[in-house]
């Protein structure tokens, strides 16, 4: 039951990321034509990343037959992204304070 709930929640986040990335691309690149190129690049990178992750995780599972390894990798990736995101937010806050 928990695995099913987890799959639904994580699966629902993927479509939610799309408008967030599009909004961020528009913030970073105000020029409409450049933003369209940035969006295309982001979409392509996302698709390639998903494909590589799927093949890589399938390979790891085929070799190890261990779901625990896949969950540990997923947890590690999320923890790393949270740590990097916090560092990024701290640097932005420091720049805002310094510019005042």
């Amino acid at each position: 039951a928990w695995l099913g709930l987890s799959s639904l929640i994580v699966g629902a986040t993927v479509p939610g990321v799309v408008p967030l990335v599009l909004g961020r691309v528009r913030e970073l690149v105000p020029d409409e034509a450049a933003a369209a190129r940035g969006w295309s690049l982001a979409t392509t990178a996302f698709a390639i990343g998903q494909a590589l992750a799927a093949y890589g995780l399938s390979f790891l599972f085929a070799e190890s037959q261990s779901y625990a390894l896949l969950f540990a990798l997923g947890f590690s990736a999320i923890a790393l992204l949270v740590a990097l995101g916090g560092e990024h937010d701290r640097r932005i806050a420091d720049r805002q304070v310094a510019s005042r």
Side-chain angles (χ1 to χ4, degrees):
W2 286 110
L3 184 57
L5 180 62
S6 170
S7 296
L8 286 173
I9 292 170
V10 172
T13 61
V14 174
V17 169
V18 173
L20 293 175
V21 172
L22 178 56
R24 185 64 178 148
V25 168
R26 294 258 167 110
E27 283 178 2
L28 294 172
V29 187
D31 176 52
E32 192 67 33
R37 288 191 302 275
W39 177 246
S40 295
L41 179 63
T43 301
T44 302
F46 181 73
I48 290 170
Q50 276 193 310
L52 290 175
Y55 284 117
L57 292 173
S58 295
F59 174 79
L60 284 176
F61 181 74
E63 292 298 315
S64 69
Q65 296 294 308
S66 170
Y67 285 109
L69 173 63
L70 301 182
F71 281 102
L73 287 172
F75 175 80
S76 299
I78 290 171
L80 178 64
L81 290 174
V82 167
L84 291 175
E87 177 65 22
H88 176 72
D89 292 345
R90 186 189 60 75
R91 279 192 247 144
I92 289 173
D94 289 347
R95 274 191 233 138
Q96 288 173 343
V97 168
S99 68
R100 289 183 186 163

